[in-house]
Amino acid sequence: MNRPEISLEFFPPKSLEASFRLWDTVQTLAPLGPRFVSVTYGAGGTTRELTRDAVATIHKHSGLRTAAHLTCVDATREETLTIARDFAKAGVTDIVALRGDPPKGSNGFVPTEGGFQNSCELIEALKDEGNFTIRVGAYPDKHPEAASATADVEYLKRKFDAGADEALTQFFFEAETFFRFRDACEKAGIDKPIVPGILPIENWKGARRFAEACGTKIPAWVIDAFEAAERDGRQDLLATTICTELCSDLLDGGVEQLHFYTLNRPELTRDVCYALGVTPQTGLENVA
Ligand code: FAD
C-alpha cells in the first residue's frame, strides 16, 4: 500500500467555541502535510462571511494551501465573482466550485436573478478569470437529482470541459462504488483526477441522515455493524477500522489521493491517516 497524499475539509465556525475547535483541528492535522485544506460554504449561501474569514485566517496563520468553496446560491454573477476575486487578492486561488444546496426547507435549487444558472456557468466564469485552480463535486452513488448514473457522469464531463481541474467525490461506503464510478468516468473520456471523499464517522446517526439526504447508499453490513458497536460503546473503534479498510482498498486499487471530511473533529481523521502511514512530517534537523 502506497502512502497517499491527503486533503482536508473543514466547515466555518459559528461560535467562539467552534472557532477554537476548528483551530485545534487545523493544528492537529497540519503536521500530516495535506496538499490543501478547504472550507465549505453553508447551504443557501448562509455562511458567506464566516467562510471568507475562516479561509483567510487558515491561509494566513497555518501556511497551508487553502481552498474556498463557492456556490451559485443566492448571489448574482457579479457578487459571486467579487467574492472569488477577493479570495485571489488575499492569495487564495483554489476554489471548490459548486452549484450548491438551497437553504433548508426550500424545494430544490432555484437560480438567483442575474446569478449563475448551474455549476458549469460558475466554472466557466472562474476559468475566464485565469488564475484559479478549480475543483468540483462528483457523485459515485449518483447525485439524487441526476436522471441516471450515466447522465451524472456526462454532467461531470461537462464540468471538466468547462474548466475544472479536479473532482472531489461525495462520501461512499465501499471501494467498489468508487472503482465503478472511476471506470465510467474514464469510459466517458474524463482524464482529470477524481479524488475519493472520505467521511470518518464520528456520529453514526448524523452520518446516516446525511447519507440518506445526499443519496449515498448504505450497505446493510454497515448498518448492522454500527448498531452493534453503538450497543457496546465501541463506535470510534469501528469507525476507525471501517474507514481505514475503505482507504486501504482504495489505495490497493491505484488511488493516490484522499480527501477527508473532518467535520472539524481531528481525532478519527488523524488515526486513520496514521494507520495509512501518513504521519507528522518531521524535518531532518529535528531528527538529528
Ligand atoms: P452539479 O454537479 O452542478 O449538479 C448535481 C447533479 O445534478 C449533476 O451531476 C447532474 O447529474 C444534475 N444536474 C445539475 N444541473 C444539471 C443540468 N443543468 N443539466 C443536467 N443535469 C444537471 N454544498 C454547499 O452548499 N456548500 C459546500 O461548501 C459544499 N461542498 C461540497 C463539497 C463536495 C466535495 C461535494 C461533493 C459536495 C458539496 N456540497 C456543498 C454539496 C453540493 O452543493 C450539492 O451536492 C449540490 O446539490 C450539487 O452541487 P454540484 O456543484 O455538485 O452540482
Side-chain angles (χ1 to χ4, degrees):
M1 181 178 74
N2 289 326
R3 183 185 184 278
E5 284 188 303
I6 62 160
S7 50
L8 306 166
E9 188 169 305
F10 309 127
F11 62 83
K14 289 190 181 156
S15 67
L16 188 60
E17 193 189 341
S19 303
F20 279 107
R21 194 185 319 136
L22 169 59
W23 192 241
D24 179 47
T25 305
V26 172
Q27 287 198 309
T28 304
L29 298 177
L32 301 180
R35 66 188 176 107
F36 71 92
V37 299
S38 77
V39 181
T40 61
Y41 196 83
T46 45
T47 64
R48 196 163 299 155
E49 279 74 32
L50 293 173
T51 298
R52 190 195 55 206
D53 292 350
V55 167
T57 304
I58 293 171
H59 173 70
K60 187 168 163 205
H61 295 287
S62 74
L64 295 171
R65 184 169 178 170
T66 308
H69 291 217
L70 194 58
T71 75
C72 307
V73 178
D74 197 27
T76 63
R77 296 172 69 102
E78 211 35 51
E79 284 165 347
T80 306
L81 288 177
T82 301
I83 297 171
R85 286 173 193 139
D86 286 347
F87 278 130
K89 271 186 224 149
V92 173
T93 53
D94 289 59
I95 300 281
V96 180
L98 301 142
R99 187 202 64 186
D101 278 329
K104 280 198 183 91
S106 55
N107 263 344
F109 172 77
V110 179
T112 298
E113 210 181 317
F116 292 110
Q117 302 287 307
N118 54 53
S119 54
C120 288
E121 285 191 2
L122 171 61
I123 296 159
E124 270 165 21
L126 290 172
K127 189 73 188 169
D128 285 347
E129 295 286 309
N131 51 355
F132 290 111
T133 298
I134 305 166
R135 297 187 176 83
V136 295
Y139 300 89
D141 272 314
K142 184 179 100 51
H143 189 278
E145 291 169 47
S148 66
T150 310
D152 212 19
V153 169
E154 280 165 6
Y155 200 74
L156 179 60
K157 172 85 165 61
R158 280 179 56 189
K159 296 201 284 190
F160 278 118
D161 291 344
D165 299 293
E166 181 176 294
L168 306 170
T169 80
Q170 189 55 276
F171 78 105
F172 53 87
F173 285 99
E174 291 177 317
E176 208 38 56
T177 307
F178 177 79
F179 294 139
R180 259 197 310 273
F181 180 67
R182 188 180 62 180
D183 290 348
C185 290
E186 207 180 305
K187 224 166 132 191
I190 295 172
D191 57 4
K192 297 262 173 63
I194 299 175
V195 179
I198 306 293
L199 178 70
I201 296 178
E202 177 82 30
N203 167 342
W204 167 240
K205 286 199 173 64
R208 190 172 179 175
R209 263 198 313 276
F210 185 42
E212 280 157 8
C214 66
T216 294
K217 293 191 192 89
I218 314 175
W221 68 264
V222 172
I223 297 175
D224 292 347
F226 269 102
E227 281 175 1
E230 238 176 12
R231 186 195 58 211
D232 301 343
R234 52 179 170 78
Q235 299 97 303
D236 280 3
L237 206 56
L238 178 72
T240 309
T241 306
I242 282 190
C243 190
T244 305
E245 291 305 314
L246 170 62
C247 294
S248 166
D249 289 347
L250 289 167
L251 300 178
D252 285 345
V255 165
E256 293 173 351
Q257 293 164 332
L258 300 168
H259 181 71
F260 284 93
Y261 294 105
T262 71
L263 303 184
N264 298 2
R265 299 272 181 190
E267 295 82 9
L268 284 181
T269 297
R270 179 201 58 204
D271 292 351
V272 171
C273 285
Y274 281 12
L276 298 171
V278 181
T279 48
Q281 299 187 345
T282 317
L284 281 179
E285 69 279 10
N286 296 334
V287 176

XYZ file of all heavy atoms in Angstrom, residues 9 39-45 69-71 73 96-102 118-120 136-139 143 145-148 151-153 155-156 158-159 168-170 259 261, ligand 1:
376
model
N -11.154 18.712 4.635
C -12.250 19.686 4.526
C -12.745 20.091 5.913
O -12.921 19.256 6.783
C -13.395 19.053 3.719
C -14.475 20.052 3.386
C -15.469 19.505 2.376
O -15.043 19.074 1.287
O -16.662 19.491 2.696
N -12.546 24.976 2.960
C -13.576 25.423 3.897
C -14.902 25.523 3.151
O -14.987 26.187 2.112
C -13.237 26.798 4.514
C -14.314 27.221 5.516
C -11.878 26.770 5.185
N -15.937 24.861 3.689
C -17.234 24.805 2.996
C -17.967 26.146 3.084
O -17.606 27.046 3.862
C -18.138 23.704 3.584
O -18.366 24.012 4.957
C -17.510 22.339 3.459
N -19.028 26.208 2.281
C -19.841 27.411 2.129
C -21.249 26.962 2.490
O -21.806 26.091 1.795
C -19.748 27.791 0.653
C -20.159 29.165 0.258
C -19.278 30.233 0.378
C -21.405 29.392 -0.295
C -19.637 31.484 -0.048
C -21.772 30.650 -0.721
C -20.882 31.695 -0.593
O -21.238 32.936 -1.023
N -21.827 27.474 3.571
C -23.067 26.926 4.115
C -24.193 26.818 3.097
O -24.261 27.624 2.173
N -25.039 25.795 3.264
C -26.181 25.608 2.363
C -26.969 26.913 2.287
O -27.204 27.569 3.305
C -27.056 24.481 2.874
N -27.347 27.291 1.063
C -28.112 28.517 0.882
C -27.243 29.763 0.980
O -27.742 30.872 1.108
N -25.918 29.570 0.931
C -25.019 30.726 0.989
C -25.006 31.365 2.375
O -24.603 32.515 2.546
N -14.723 27.034 -0.776
C -15.891 26.540 -1.514
C -16.729 27.759 -1.913
O -16.819 28.740 -1.165
C -16.742 25.622 -0.641
C -16.080 24.314 -0.319
N -16.760 23.118 -0.245
C -14.788 24.006 -0.051
C -15.919 22.143 0.056
N -14.716 22.665 0.188
N -17.338 27.673 -3.073
C -18.164 28.778 -3.576
C -19.355 28.162 -4.300
O -19.185 27.213 -5.066
C -17.309 29.595 -4.546
C -17.798 30.976 -4.959
C -17.998 31.868 -3.729
C -16.752 31.634 -5.883
N -20.549 28.694 -4.050
C -21.739 28.117 -4.703
C -22.476 29.197 -5.511
O -22.167 30.381 -5.414
C -22.719 27.501 -3.681
O -23.425 28.558 -3.014
C -22.016 26.628 -2.658
N -25.671 29.762 -5.129
C -26.928 30.045 -4.423
C -26.994 31.486 -3.910
O -26.025 31.987 -3.323
C -27.076 29.055 -3.230
C -28.342 29.356 -2.443
C -27.102 27.631 -3.729
N -13.379 25.477 -4.708
C -14.237 24.306 -4.950
C -15.558 24.881 -5.441
O -16.292 25.521 -4.675
C -14.417 23.456 -3.669
C -15.304 22.242 -3.960
C -13.059 22.996 -3.133
N -15.827 24.730 -6.735
C -16.955 25.416 -7.385
C -18.165 24.494 -7.466
O -18.111 23.429 -8.089
C -16.539 25.856 -8.781
N -19.242 24.926 -6.828
C -20.427 24.063 -6.700
C -21.688 24.823 -7.082
O -21.757 26.040 -6.932
C -20.572 23.604 -5.245
C -19.375 22.828 -4.721
C -19.101 23.205 -3.281
C -19.598 21.340 -4.886
N -22.672 24.071 -7.549
C -23.983 24.691 -7.707
C -24.528 25.040 -6.331
O -25.076 26.097 -6.102
C -24.941 23.732 -8.425
C -26.256 24.395 -8.749
C -27.343 23.393 -8.952
N -27.619 22.644 -7.721
C -28.444 21.630 -7.666
N -29.038 21.188 -8.745
N -28.675 21.007 -6.520
N -24.345 24.116 -5.404
C -24.756 24.352 -4.024
C -26.127 23.809 -3.707
O -26.930 23.527 -4.602
N -26.343 23.643 -2.425
C -27.656 23.209 -1.939
C -28.457 24.439 -1.551
O -27.901 25.409 -1.033
C -27.485 22.295 -0.723
C -27.171 20.867 -1.146
O -27.651 20.472 -2.220
O -26.455 20.173 -0.415
N -29.769 24.413 -1.774
C -30.602 25.541 -1.373
C -30.732 25.595 0.141
O -30.372 24.635 0.825
C -31.948 25.221 -2.021
C -31.958 23.740 -2.174
C -30.546 23.306 -2.346
N -26.131 27.292 -13.164
C -25.664 25.943 -12.794
C -24.150 25.980 -12.562
O -23.500 27.003 -12.791
C -26.027 24.920 -13.892
C -25.516 25.378 -15.255
O -24.335 25.673 -15.399
N -26.409 25.472 -16.236
N -23.618 24.844 -12.133
C -22.192 24.811 -11.775
C -21.303 25.077 -12.992
O -20.243 25.694 -12.865
C -21.840 23.479 -11.127
O -22.232 22.414 -11.958
N -21.726 24.613 -14.181
C -20.873 24.796 -15.375
C -20.643 26.272 -15.662
O -19.531 26.681 -16.007
C -21.498 24.117 -16.598
S -21.390 22.334 -16.515
N -14.306 20.438 -8.321
C -15.777 20.315 -8.374
C -16.228 19.056 -7.640
O -15.416 18.178 -7.334
C -16.278 20.256 -9.842
C -15.982 21.569 -10.562
C -15.664 19.085 -10.594
N -17.523 18.957 -7.390
C -18.087 17.780 -6.718
C -18.386 16.667 -7.726
O -18.668 16.935 -8.895
N -18.316 15.408 -7.251
C -18.664 14.251 -8.089
C -19.361 13.229 -7.196
O -19.144 13.221 -5.972
C -17.413 13.656 -8.713
N -20.153 12.342 -7.806
C -21.090 11.537 -7.016
C -21.053 10.053 -7.394
O -21.816 9.605 -8.242
C -22.508 12.129 -7.182
C -22.531 13.568 -6.699
C -22.236 14.622 -7.560
C -22.747 13.855 -5.355
C -22.178 15.937 -7.097
C -22.690 15.163 -4.882
C -22.405 16.191 -5.758
O -22.337 17.480 -5.292
N -25.820 11.592 -7.976
C -26.491 12.712 -7.309
C -27.997 12.468 -7.358
O -28.523 12.016 -8.375
C -26.131 14.017 -8.031
C -26.595 15.245 -7.306
N -27.875 15.725 -7.407
C -25.959 16.070 -6.439
C -28.004 16.805 -6.643
N -26.847 17.033 -6.047
N -30.428 14.269 -7.919
C -31.161 14.953 -8.999
C -30.786 14.450 -10.387
O -31.384 14.886 -11.376
C -30.891 16.463 -8.935
C -31.512 17.119 -7.723
C -31.010 18.542 -7.557
O -30.983 19.298 -8.547
O -30.626 18.887 -6.426
N -29.797 13.570 -10.484
C -29.367 13.102 -11.812
C -30.394 12.124 -12.372
O -30.926 11.278 -11.638
C -28.009 12.434 -11.702
N -30.653 12.208 -13.687
C -31.640 11.335 -14.327
C -31.172 9.878 -14.279
O -31.978 8.960 -14.154
C -31.857 11.788 -15.771
N -29.874 9.657 -14.374
C -29.309 8.296 -14.313
C -27.829 8.419 -13.954
O -27.262 9.527 -14.003
C -29.436 7.612 -15.675
O -28.612 8.303 -16.609
N -26.077 9.871 -16.944
C -26.286 11.323 -17.090
C -25.411 12.077 -16.091
O -24.876 13.149 -16.400
C -27.757 11.662 -16.873
N -25.232 11.513 -14.900
C -24.424 12.169 -13.865
C -22.956 12.264 -14.307
O -22.319 13.305 -14.153
C -24.543 11.353 -12.567
C -24.449 12.236 -11.336
O -24.649 13.459 -11.461
O -24.186 11.687 -10.253
N -22.458 11.153 -14.871
C -21.063 11.143 -15.349
C -20.915 12.118 -16.523
O -19.922 12.853 -16.624
C -20.639 9.708 -15.751
C -19.303 9.722 -16.484
C -20.565 8.814 -14.512
N -22.574 14.776 -16.971
C -22.572 16.139 -16.426
C -21.206 16.481 -15.817
O -20.716 17.602 -15.966
C -23.689 16.317 -15.391
C -23.997 17.788 -15.190
C -24.688 18.504 -16.155
C -23.549 18.467 -14.065
C -24.938 19.865 -16.003
C -23.793 19.824 -13.903
C -24.493 20.513 -14.872
O -24.727 21.860 -14.726
N -20.594 15.494 -15.171
C -19.245 15.725 -14.629
C -18.279 16.037 -15.773
O -17.430 16.925 -15.660
C -18.771 14.493 -13.836
C -17.375 14.594 -13.235
C -17.264 15.765 -12.255
C -16.980 13.292 -12.530
N -19.039 17.536 -18.493
C -19.304 18.934 -18.884
C -18.570 19.898 -17.942
O -18.079 20.943 -18.351
C -20.809 19.221 -18.851
C -21.533 18.703 -20.091
C -23.024 18.965 -20.047
N -23.379 20.369 -19.868
C -24.618 20.803 -19.638
N -25.616 19.942 -19.561
N -24.865 22.088 -19.479
N -18.517 19.530 -16.658
C -17.838 20.408 -15.693
C -16.332 20.452 -15.975
O -15.709 21.505 -15.892
C -18.124 19.945 -14.258
C -19.623 20.055 -13.898
C -19.882 20.109 -12.399
C -19.750 18.813 -11.696
N -20.247 18.871 -10.296
N -13.686 16.179 -6.464
C -13.682 15.572 -5.124
C -15.034 14.892 -4.984
O -16.068 15.518 -5.248
C -13.541 16.650 -4.051
C -12.353 17.609 -4.194
C -12.481 18.775 -3.206
C -11.041 16.864 -3.959
N -15.045 13.643 -4.554
C -16.342 12.950 -4.542
C -17.081 13.117 -3.223
O -16.481 13.378 -2.175
C -16.220 11.427 -4.817
O -15.817 10.759 -3.614
C -15.308 11.127 -5.976
N -18.385 12.906 -3.315
C -19.214 12.720 -2.131
C -18.717 11.456 -1.424
O -18.085 10.601 -2.053
C -20.679 12.546 -2.590
C -21.689 12.542 -1.504
C -21.590 13.787 -0.630
O -20.778 13.796 0.298
N -22.373 14.806 -0.922
N -9.478 12.692 0.098
C -9.985 13.968 0.628
C -10.849 13.651 1.850
O -11.890 12.989 1.721
C -10.816 14.673 -0.454
C -11.371 16.003 -0.017
N -10.569 17.115 0.167
C -12.633 16.394 0.265
C -11.326 18.138 0.536
N -12.580 17.731 0.621
N -13.385 14.424 4.929
C -14.378 15.315 5.531
C -14.164 15.255 7.036
O -14.619 14.325 7.696
C -15.801 14.829 5.188
C -16.118 14.918 3.715
C -16.158 13.790 2.900
C -16.374 16.151 3.134
C -16.445 13.893 1.547
C -16.659 16.263 1.782
C -16.695 15.129 1.000
O -16.979 15.245 -0.338
P -23.851 19.779 -10.122
O -22.796 18.801 -10.458
O -23.907 21.015 -10.893
O -25.277 19.082 -10.169
C -25.502 17.853 -9.471
C -26.053 16.815 -10.438
O -27.358 17.247 -10.848
C -25.206 16.693 -11.691
O -24.182 15.734 -11.529
C -26.237 16.339 -12.708
O -26.458 14.952 -12.700
C -27.502 17.050 -12.246
N -27.607 18.378 -12.893
C -27.484 19.590 -12.310
N -27.681 20.579 -13.213
C -27.933 19.975 -14.388
C -28.230 20.454 -15.687
N -28.296 21.752 -15.951
N -28.422 19.527 -16.669
C -28.352 18.198 -16.407
N -28.080 17.690 -15.184
C -27.884 18.555 -14.182
N -22.844 22.338 -0.791
C -22.834 23.593 -0.259
O -23.889 24.253 -0.186
N -21.668 24.137 0.223
C -20.478 23.485 0.142
O -19.449 24.003 0.574
C -20.454 22.173 -0.442
N -19.292 21.481 -0.574
C -19.293 20.273 -1.241
C -18.066 19.616 -1.467
C -18.023 18.418 -2.164
C -16.687 17.753 -2.411
C -19.242 17.830 -2.628
C -19.223 16.523 -3.369
C -20.469 18.461 -2.393
C -20.503 19.684 -1.713
N -21.705 20.369 -1.485
C -21.691 21.621 -0.903
C -22.990 19.766 -1.865
C -23.433 20.227 -3.245
O -23.653 21.626 -3.246
C -24.729 19.512 -3.571
O -24.486 18.146 -3.796
C -25.499 20.120 -4.722
O -26.812 19.534 -4.727
C -24.855 19.863 -6.062
O -23.772 20.685 -6.299
P -22.749 20.347 -7.507
O -21.971 21.549 -7.831
O -22.017 19.114 -7.262
O -23.871 20.141 -8.620
